[in-house]
Structures are given as structure tokens and as C-alpha cells.
Amino acid sequence: DMAVQQLREFRLKPKAHQSIWAKVGLPAGEGPVLSDAINHGFSIDVVNRFAEAVSMPVTNLVQYAGLSRATFARRVKDKEHRLKPSESEAFARMIRMYEAATLMLGGNKADAIQWLNEPAIGLNGKRPIELMGSESGTLDVIRLINRLMHGVYM
């Protein structure tokens, strides 16, 4: 049955290399499972693991996600240790952007981080990392990555 075969193929792909989503402790990078995790609010551990994965200070990531340090500090102190859904969404965007840049650069994490931190002509000289705070900014970066990957520079 073709549907079963497609499902099996789809399941095998993420196992080839541990995805960034699995590394940070999230069940998936898209779909209802991620939506549920966002609505529940990511654990502070997700932020810490992502900071570790990309070798960046948590404080920088918090800033790029559009959270104040005081707000993040409150989430850490709170007994729930969870981000609010909107804050979790911001971190999901950040992980998505990092994942796309890593894919574009053949799996090289260091190159991906460097690319995210450098001004891009296709983004009017803005650094991709500065655009992570908004959905439209993230989409602009993902679109640029797709154009670069497919050789369409216009």
C-alpha cells in the first residue's frame, strides 16, 4: 500500500541525523505535535539546550526572541519553568530559522550561525538573526534561504 510506504519513508528521514528539535527536547519541528508543545509553553530547558546547541549565550537568544531579560528571569523563577505560548512560538521560529540555515550550509552548524549573524543583501543588509522576533521577518529569512538553495537570487 502506497500510503504506508510513504509514511515509513517520512519516519525514517529524521532518524538519519538527530534533528535540532530532538536535541532541544521537542517532539517535532512542525504539525499538531509542535502546536501542542507551543500552546503548553516550552520548558526553560528547551531554551538552555538550544543555546548549548548553537553555542550562544541564553541572554542573546532571549533578546532575539523579543523577550526582555526580566521576563525570561521571571519564567526561570516561576515554579512551572515554562515560557508562555507566544514566547514559545518565538523560540520555535528561531529553531526553524537555524534549521533552515544549517540545511542550506550542508549541516555545518558553525557556518549556519555565522550566516545568521551576517548582514544579508537579500534582507536589505539586515542580519537574519535580527528578524527572528517576528513571523514576517522569519518568513523573509526562510524565503531567502530557499532562493539561495535553489539558485534563485532575484
Side-chain angles (χ1 to χ4, degrees):
D1 183 66
M2 203 163 144
V4 173
Q5 189 179 3
Q6 282 177 323
L7 189 62
R8 197 175 305 121
E9 284 175 22
F10 179 76
R11 265 205 227 114
L12 287 174
K13 275 185 202 159
K15 282 190 180 163
H17 67 290
Q18 195 191 17
S19 77
I20 183 63
W21 301 94
K23 275 189 189 136
V24 300
L26 290 169
E30 60 188 9
V33 181
L34 179 63
S35 293
D36 289 347
I38 288 169
N39 290 334
H40 185 57
F42 291 172
S43 158
I44 294 298
D45 295 342
V46 168
V47 178
N48 293 330
R49 286 190 209 112
F50 183 60
E52 199 177 311
V54 298
S55 309
M56 285 176 82
V58 170
T59 50
N60 289 26
L61 294 180
V62 165
Q63 187 185 344
Y64 295 134
L67 266 81
S68 74
R69 286 180 185 193
T71 299
F72 186 73
R74 273 199 306 278
R75 303 286 176 266
V76 172
K77 279 193 196 112
D78 191 55
K79 67 180 189 307
E80 293 281 307
H81 289 294
R82 293 208 169 273
L83 299 175
K84 293 203 178 312
S86 61
E87 297 158 357
S88 300
E89 182 67 64
F91 275 98
R93 284 195 300 264
M94 193 180 291
I95 297 167
R96 200 171 290 130
M97 195 186 284
Y98 168 77
E99 181 184 45
T102 306
L103 183 68
M104 172 177 72
L105 295 161
N108 189 315
K109 295 194 305 186
D111 285 355
I113 292 159
Q114 189 177 344
W115 186 84
L116 289 169
N117 276 287
E118 287 179 355
I121 295 165
L123 300 170
N124 291 338
K126 289 198 174 99
R127 298 174 334 157
I129 208 157
E130 293 171 39
L131 301 175
M132 289 179 171
S134 76
E135 186 66 32
S136 60
T138 302
L139 286 171
D140 288 342
V141 174
I142 302 282
R143 277 192 211 103
L144 174 62
I145 288 170
N146 287 329
R147 288 201 307 267
L148 293 172
M149 283 177 78
H150 298 104
V152 183
Y153 303 106
M154 296 308 284

